[in-house]
Structures are given as structure tokens and as C-alpha cells.
Amino acid sequence: MKKFLQRPLLSLLAAATLGLPGAPLNAQVNLPALGDSVSQDLDVNDERQLGERYMRQIRLDPAVVQDPLLQEYMDGIFQPLVAASRKLGHIGEDIQARFAWESFLVEDKSVNAFALPGGFVGTHLGLIAMTVSRDELASVLAHEISHVTQRHIARRIAGDSKNSMIAIAGLLLGVLAASRGNIDLANAGIVGGQAAATQLSLNFSRDMEREADRVGFNVLVEAGFAGSGMVSMFERMDQAYHLMDNGSFPYLRSHPLTSERIGDARTRLALEPFARPRGLAEHALMAARARVLMDPRVDAWKVLENYDAGARNLRDSGGYEQLGARYAATLASIKLRNFDRAEATLRSADVTLQLINPSPSEMAAARRQLTYLRAELAQARGRPMDGMAALDSLQGEKSRPMLMERVALSLVPGAGEAAVRESAEALQTHVSLQPKDSFAWSQLALVWQRLNQPLRAVRAQAEVYAAAGDLNGAIDRLRSGLRQSRGPDADQVEASVIDARLRTLVYERQALLAEMYRGRYIPPDAELPN
């Protein structure tokens, strides 16, 4: 199996953790509000802990995409939707305080998105790549957020536990019939019980999908996105599914589109004032970036490198498809280290953007993305000063992508020790404010290694695990650092910092274990289960 995050293993993970017979995690497992009977099965605290158990494994998986530009773009869509849900009253104080509300990206070319317990929402890069506007992408995220706010996960767990009783009853009847020698009746009882449970689960899921459509549409519009995004997304996916049902659309399998759901979306749209899609140029660039990153095979990049060759024949409204094609071709050429070709294609992308001539704000957003691509090209070519000069044109922008790109450029040979030290200082400030940023910690570990600070590098590596929720891994790295600190030339100040941090994490692990295994003896060095 290629990656942990592929759907079959996610399904097994859900079945093992939730006690469901193979229930796919990507299909929304469904739950209600505090106070109704379902909350007795899984309250908000338990749901968040369940989500954290998933995320402890997911965050460290290489299939999770650590791309600052794409993550920033997704957060710029995701967080306004969460805020809109809060404004509409869908997120109460209990869920707001306890749930994570975290969006993450998965390196997978299939068209898919899914919600996990506790407010974690994953998006496959293939979904981003197939959308033509941020409104379409926002409609999917609004739908997934609504699964969380409506407590569908708990409702599905409660429903499936009842359905499993039907299946068990059928199984027992089958066993009883078999003991009496009636094999046909035994098979009928077993199969019939499974079929009845499956049908109940499907009926329940359809109700939840309709509710997520309705709630998600209101959230989408409240957040300032065009409601037409949900309708066009439905229509695009329905057409693609019928034209090429090759398994690349798992979102449609877990969220079955029906004429009723599409018709309901059109009806809701007719009741809303017309809103024109915005940000098409920037979205075309981010969809193109996702298209390159979703499939890291050389053969796939070679196809995308030539994608711009037919750009003049791509006829879409306003030329946004041409712009995206040239961005994808540039990035693919960078990955293939065909730098001259990348430079030429990037210049043609600049020309295409000028021809499109969007509004000033949209022009600025698109130019920013092309500037970052130019810095990325300079980094790959080993020209850090050219990359720094490109970033300087953004006139003092202070963002996470800016920080990470400057750090990457400082690690290029020839950047100079002063640039590396500047990166160390900037990253140290960043992680003190954002201690859960595991990618920033991993970059800081590289910086400390470059500055020949091994103990600080080990501590930063430990914080990568801690930020991901893997306390076992963090403790192991810190203990390794303590062993290294026994050397004669070791930095004893840093050794004391490592020792103090180790004590803190061991205490946190014991507290988590105590909560997981209430009333049971826990050995002092017990580890959290994966």
C-alpha cells in the first residue's frame, strides 16, 4: 500500500477505532447536538480525542502536504467558512472551545474531501485541481464543515451501532438455523441481516448528506462566496463521474449525487442575489499548483511540462485556463530541473495575466503567486540572491509563506551564514508564537544543523513530533539529545532546556494515559498507543 492516507486503510482505521464493520472514514460518519440521546454515545470531548488519535498518525505521514502557499490559500477559504458557521449559530461554545477546526491537505490525485471527528477536514489535491473557482472549492469545504457542526459523526456512530445489532441478529439466526442443519436458511439469515443493516446505513447517510447540503449552502453564502459555486461543483462532478467512472471520484461514492440534491441546490441559488465569482486568476494558479504536486511521478510532470504547448487552443472565459496551464508547466519544469524552459514559461504566464487584466486586487493576488514561483525557480537554480530580490518586490510582506521561502533560500549553498542566522532568529520567533507548526520546527532543525548546533537541531526535531501529537516520538528524540549532551563540548544550557522539556512531555503523556485508562495502573514509562 502506497500511503497511510489512501482510502482502504482509512476505512480500516475507522472500523478499528469506531467499532464499525468497515465503514469508510471518508464517507461522513454522522452525529447530533449536546443534550440529545446521541451525545451519550460520543460527547464533544470524546469526539475531539478520537480525532486527535487519527491526526497523531496522519500529521507525520508523508502523504500530508506541507506546502505553505497551498495551505495558506486553503486556510483563507476554510477559516471564513468556520466563522460564518459560528455567526449562523451552528457552532456553539462547547464545539468552538473543544474542536480543532483544522484543515489539511493530502497528496492524492483523486477527487475527494472528508471530515474527521473533532473538526479536522482533509482535502485531496485532486479536488483542488479540478475546480475552476474558489467558490466551488468553498462549497465542498462548507459541506464538510456542516458534517462537523451538525454532529453527524456522532449520529453515524450511534446509527451504525444500532444497525450492527440488526446484522448481529441476522448472524445469530443464521447460526441457529445452521445448528439445525438448514444451510439455506442460515445463509439467508446472515445475508439478510447484513443487507438490512446496510440499507439502514445508506438511508441514514442520504439524510445527512441532504442536511449538509442545506446547511453548507447557507454557510457558503454567509461567508461571502457565490452560491453558484455549489451548483457548478455538483454539475461538474456529476458530468465527470458519468463520463469517466474510473475510481477517481471517491467523493461521489461517499456523497452520492442525485437529481434531487442538484435540483435543491439550484432552487436555493434562485432565492439568493446574484454574486459573481471572484479571485479566478489566483484560483487558476493554485489549482495548477495542486495539479503538479498531487502526482510526484516524473512521467506526470513531463506531461504537465508540455501542458502550456496547447494553451493557445484552450478556450475558456477570460483566459484563466491558459494562465493555469502556464503556471503548471513552469512548476513541472522546475521539478524536472529544466530551468531555461521554466524561465520562458514563467514569462509567458506574466504576459497571460496582463492580457486577462483582472481587477486590481485580483491582479495583485495573482502577481504575488507568480512572484513566489519566481523565487522557487531561483532556489532550485541555486541563485538565492535572485530569489531574495524577487521576494523583496512584495514590499515587506510578513506571512508564513514569505518566512518559509526565505528560510529555504537561506539554506541554498552560497546564501551566506548571515542569512542562515537570520532564518534561525525568524523561525525561533515564529515557533514561540505557533508551537504547533510542525513544518516550521522541521525547517528550524535544518537551520540549526547548518549552523552546527546539534543539540538545538535535536530539540527542534523533537518538537516536530510534539507538534504532531506524537509524544512518544518527541520523548525519544529528547532522550537522544540528553545522551548527546554528555559529550565534553556539548552546550550545557541547551542540555538543561532539553531536560526540562523532556520532563514536561513525560508528564503530558502520563496525563493522557491516565485519562485514557481511568482507574487502571499505568507503568511510569508507558507509551501512548498509536
Side-chain angles (χ1 to χ4, degrees):
M1 185 171 298
K2 189 176 93 171
K3 297 186 182 112
F4 167 81
L5 285 173
Q6 287 178 328
R7 181 169 177 176
L9 190 51
L10 274 175
S11 301
L12 291 175
L13 177 62
T17 308
L18 305 180
L20 307 180
L25 184 61
N26 299 14
Q28 307 319 313
V29 225
N30 300 311
L31 304 180
L34 278 176
D36 57 47
S37 61
V38 183
S39 296
Q40 299 173 9
D41 293 285
L42 190 72
D43 65 21
V44 290
N45 286 323
D46 291 337
E47 186 175 344
R48 173 62 186 271
Q49 289 178 15
L50 185 58
E52 288 289 356
R53 286 185 64 182
Y54 290 133
M55 294 305 297
R56 275 201 296 270
Q57 299 182 55
I58 289 173
R59 287 191 187 105
L60 291 176
D61 193 280
V64 173
V65 178
Q66 298 283 5
D67 185 81
L69 283 173
L70 272 178
Q71 189 62 59
E72 178 195 56
Y73 186 67
M74 288 297 294
D75 288 343
I77 297 174
F78 183 78
Q79 292 304 328
L81 293 170
V82 173
S85 295
R86 190 181 306 116
K87 184 177 179 181
L88 291 171
H90 301 156
I91 299 177
E93 292 183 2
D94 52 344
I95 297 179
Q96 172 62 31
R98 293 176 175 86
F99 280 14
W101 306 114
E102 179 181 326
S103 171
F104 63 96
L105 300 168
V106 181
E107 182 196 281
D108 197 304
K109 61 183 179 180
S110 63
V111 177
N112 204 13
F114 53 92
L116 295 176
F120 301 96
V121 177
T123 306
H124 288 198
L125 296 188
L127 176 65
I128 303 173
M130 69 91 66
T131 57
V132 299
S133 72
R134 66 180 192 136
D135 305 284
E136 290 183 352
L137 182 56
S139 74
V140 176
L141 295 180
H143 180 100
E144 296 303 325
I145 289 171
S146 297
H147 277 304
V148 177
T149 61
Q150 302 308 299
R151 303 293 317 283
H152 287 172
I153 298 174
R155 289 157 86 171
R156 181 62 180 272
I157 290 173
D160 280 343
S161 66
K162 295 172 184 176
N163 294 346
S164 65
M165 294 303 295
I166 297 174
I168 292 171
L171 178 63
L172 292 176
L173 288 174
V175 171
L176 180 62
S179 67
R180 295 175 180 172
N182 191 335
I183 302 301
D184 290 338
L185 183 58
N187 290 335
I190 294 171
V191 174
Q194 291 174 339
T198 300
Q199 187 57 50
L200 284 173
S201 180
L202 286 173
N203 291 341
F204 192 80
S205 180
R206 291 188 187 111
D207 289 340
M208 296 303 100
E209 294 306 328
R210 281 192 289 266
E211 184 177 34
D213 287 346
R214 174 180 55 78
V215 174
F217 184 87
N218 293 334
V219 169
L220 182 72
V221 174
E222 179 65 32
F225 297 98
S228 58
M230 181 170 283
V231 176
S232 61
M233 189 68 188
F234 275 174
E235 291 173 342
R236 185 182 311 284
M237 296 182 73
D238 187 46
Q239 181 182 26
Y241 184 66
H242 285 97
L243 288 178
M244 44 179 292
D245 182 12
N246 59 1
S248 297
F249 292 83
Y251 193 78
L252 285 174
R253 300 183 190 281
S254 60
H255 301 64
L257 280 178
T258 63
S259 57
E260 177 189 0
R261 289 180 67 196
I262 298 174
D264 286 346
R266 288 174 179 155
T267 300
R268 294 186 194 102
L269 179 62
L271 300 176
E272 292 291 331
F274 174 75
R276 188 182 301 278
R278 294 175 296 164
L280 293 176
E282 184 181 21
H283 185 81
L285 300 177
M286 291 297 93
R289 187 172 186 85
R291 191 174 297 117
V292 176
L293 298 182
M294 73 183 185
D295 189 351
R297 295 175 303 151
V298 171
D299 289 346
W301 286 339
K302 286 182 177 178
V303 171
L304 290 173
E305 185 180 39
N306 295 310
Y307 194 36
D308 67 311
R312 65 177 64 90
N313 299 320
L314 299 175
R315 302 298 181 188
D316 69 317
S317 58
Y320 297 108
E321 193 169 351
Q322 291 94 328
L323 179 64
R326 290 183 169 121
Y327 185 101
T330 302
L331 184 55
S333 294
I334 293 173
K335 298 292 185 183
L336 294 169
R337 305 190 67 79
N338 294 334
F339 299 133
D340 290 341
R341 179 168 188 148
E343 184 70 46
T345 312
L346 182 53
R347 284 196 298 269
S348 69
D350 284 326
V351 172
T352 302
L353 180 60
Q354 294 296 328
L355 293 174
I356 293 173
N357 193 27
S359 68
S361 61
E362 294 186 15
M363 174 70 83
R367 277 180 171 168
R368 174 179 181 265
Q369 297 298 347
L370 291 178
T371 298
Y372 274 107
L373 187 60
R374 188 170 297 282
E376 198 169 347
L377 172 58
Q379 175 196 341
R381 300 187 84 159
R383 300 176 180 177
M385 296 303 104
D386 290 349
M388 294 291 189
L391 295 179
D392 288 342
S393 69
L394 295 177
Q395 299 179 345
E397 174 190 318
K398 295 182 179 179
S399 65
R400 183 172 179 268
M402 174 66 75
L403 171 61
M404 298 309 168
E405 186 57 42
R406 286 191 180 277
V407 170
L409 287 165
S410 73
L411 292 172
V412 174
E417 185 174 327
V420 183
R421 291 192 177 279
E422 184 178 332
S423 290
E425 182 179 344
L427 279 172
Q428 198 67 59
T429 301
H430 175 79
V431 295
S432 67
L433 299 173
Q434 303 291 336
K436 296 295 186 181
D437 191 340
S438 61
F439 181 69
W441 280 114
S442 69
Q443 296 302 99
L444 184 57
L446 294 175
V447 167
W448 287 132
Q449 287 173 354
R450 178 64 63 85
L451 293 173
N452 196 27
Q453 297 281 348
L455 283 185
R456 292 187 178 187
V458 168
R459 187 199 160 199
Q461 291 166 1
E463 296 293 356
V464 172
Y465 290 95
D470 183 1
L471 296 185
N472 296 333
I475 289 169
D476 286 345
R477 294 305 298 154
L478 290 173
R479 284 176 174 162
S480 173
L482 277 185
R483 288 192 293 270
Q484 293 181 41
S485 70
R486 296 178 186 136
D489 299 326
D491 182 346
Q492 294 307 310
V493 174
E494 187 62 27
S496 65
V497 172
I498 290 176
D499 182 63
R501 182 61 172 148
L502 176 60
R503 293 174 187 274
T504 299
L505 292 184
V506 169
Y507 177 81
E508 286 184 17
R509 183 170 69 178
Q510 284 295 108
L512 279 173
L513 285 166
E515 188 161 340
M516 290 174 64
Y517 304 112
R518 295 182 184 93
R520 293 166 56 183
Y521 170 72
I522 304 169
D525 209 29
E527 293 191 354
L528 285 166
N530 290 327

